[in-house]
């Protein structure tokens, strides 16, 4: 997984949780199928997921341009609330953008009843009880800042994104408090300069 040119490490090999990438400040996600090791390194042998954030906006006139976006959401299965605010300002040669997001969810609710499931031991079954899944809530706080400077002979961009997530780990014991805390910080600096015509 590549995020704005930076290799994403924290959940690269995990299948239980998603990577720490803002869902709100995305421009697009490119799926590069097949071997991509020549460009992205040895771990790109099976393909690459290229996550690209929304670009900075520059003004085409002398007056600055201001832009922003507010996203709010709610989900009933776990009483989840989510929101994100992004604000930006662009001048002719200079641009800034920042975003802050939050997500909070309670325990997951499932239909009442019982369900027999297979276990790792052949022939042994386990019973799952419906209702509220104890210790299955989560919290997430994310934010980022971007800066860009553009002139006739090139440009330079810099960015930072911080991501804090606390995931409760479900256990049939209602008194369980097992959790996983993930903190990710990403810095990015890129530029393109024309040395001649």
């Amino acid at each position: 997984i590549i995020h704005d040119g930076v290799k994403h490490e924290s959940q690269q090999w995990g299948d239980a949780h998603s990577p720490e990438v803002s869902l709100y400040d995305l421009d697009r996600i490119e799926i590069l199928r097949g071997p991509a090791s020549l460009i992205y390194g040895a771990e790109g042998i099976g393909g690459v997921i290229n996550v690209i954030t929304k670009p900075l906006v520059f003004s085409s006139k002398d007056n600055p341009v201001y832009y922003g976006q507010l996203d709010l959401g709610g989900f009933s299965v776990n009483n989840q609330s989510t929101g994100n605010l992004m604000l930006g300002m662009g001048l002719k040669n200079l641009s800034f953008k920042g975003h802050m997001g939050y997500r909070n969810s309670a325990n997951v609710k499932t239909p009442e009843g019982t369900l027999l499931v297979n276990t790792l031991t052949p022939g042994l079954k386990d019973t799952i009880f419906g209702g509220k899944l104890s210790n299955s809530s989560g919290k997430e706080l994310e934010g980022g800042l971007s800066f860009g400077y553009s002139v006739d002979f090139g440009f330079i961009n810099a960015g930072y994104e911080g991501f804090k997530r606390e995931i409760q780990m479900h256990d049939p014991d209602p008194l369980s408090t097992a959790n996983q805390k993930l903190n990710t910080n990403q810095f990015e600096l890129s530029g393109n300069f024309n040395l001649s015509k």
Side-chain angles (χ1 to χ4, degrees), residues 6 8 10 58 75 86:
V6 179
H8 191 83
S10 64
F58 291 88
F75 305 88
M86 183 271 294

Side-chain angles (χ1 to χ4, degrees), residues 156-191:
I156 187 166
N157 289 339
Y160 165 77
E161 188 167 273
F163 202 100
K164 292 186 176 191
R165 179 185 282 169
E166 181 177 334
I167 303 168
Q168 306 297 323
M169 302 173 105
H170 169 65
D171 192 299
D173 179 4
L175 301 177
S176 171
T177 59
N179 64 74
Q180 183 180 36
K181 293 184 180 180
L182 304 167
N183 295 325
T184 302
N185 294 294
Q186 175 179 310
F187 300 91
E188 177 248 338
L189 179 65
S190 62

Side-chain angles (χ1 to χ4, degrees), residues 133-149:
L133 297 180
S134 61
N135 203 51
S136 62
S137 63
K139 292 179 185 175
E140 191 173 284
L141 179 65
E142 60 183 76
L145 293 170
S146 298
F147 160 83
Y149 183 69

Side-chain angles (χ1 to χ4, degrees), residues 7 23 25 31 38 45 51 56 73 76 85 89 95 102 106 108 122-123 135 141 159 171 175-176 183-184 193:
K7 183 178 165 190
L23 298 177
D25 197 38
I31 309 297
L38 288 176
I45 188 120
V51 180
L56 293 165
S76 60
L85 175 64
M89 181 190 83
S95 183
Y102 180 73
V108 175
N135 203 51
L141 179 65
D171 192 299
L175 301 177
S176 171
N183 295 325
T184 302
F193 303 99

Side-chain angles (χ1 to χ4, degrees), residues 56 60 66 89 94 106 118 122 124 129 131 136 153 169:
L56 293 165
S60 59
Y66 300 96
M89 181 190 83
L94 191 63
N118 294 325
L124 186 63
F129 298 95
S136 62
F153 60 85
M169 302 173 105

